[in-house]
Amino acid sequence: MKKLKSEFTINEIGKLQFYSGILVGIGYSIILNYLFRFTLKVANFGVFINEWKWDYEINTYYYYLIGFTSVGFAFCYTIYI
């Protein structure tokens, strides 16, 4: 019977490439998380001016959305590299 799924292990990739890929993915995730939060604050800047409220708090929903999105994009980009 023919195997459709090849064996893909850390030893085939190489330990340095595997672990450095994980570190790069975590780094991209953190950077994207900060960029998405900054974009959300800039997008809601009109609310700051109207209410004269400068300490903006991000809703829990947006924390989860930004977290999952940044991890997803970082994973896709790391796999592409």
Side-chain angles (χ1 to χ4, degrees):
M1 183 173 210
K2 187 177 179 182
K3 282 181 137 180
L4 297 176
K5 183 179 177 185
S6 65
E7 293 186 21
F8 196 59
T9 62
I10 296 174
N11 293 329
E12 284 185 29
I13 300 170
K15 289 185 179 184
L16 177 67
Q17 287 85 2
F18 179 76
Y19 291 117
S20 65
I22 289 175
L23 290 176
V24 167
I26 290 171
Y28 280 130
S29 177
I30 291 170
I31 290 169
L32 285 173
N33 194 342
Y34 284 119
L35 287 176
F36 286 143
R37 287 183 186 188
F38 180 71
T39 304
L40 184 65
K41 287 182 182 181
V42 169
N44 290 326
F45 191 67
V47 176
F48 293 146
I49 294 173
N50 289 338
E51 296 179 2
W52 294 102
K53 181 180 174 185
W54 294 102
D55 49 334
Y56 179 71
E57 294 181 14
I58 298 175
N59 195 359
T60 307
Y61 168 76
Y62 288 117
Y63 276 129
Y64 286 127
L65 181 67
I66 288 171
F68 286 130
T69 305
S70 61
V71 168
F73 282 143
F75 177 75
C76 291
Y77 190 69
T78 305
I79 294 298
Y80 176 74
I81 289 177

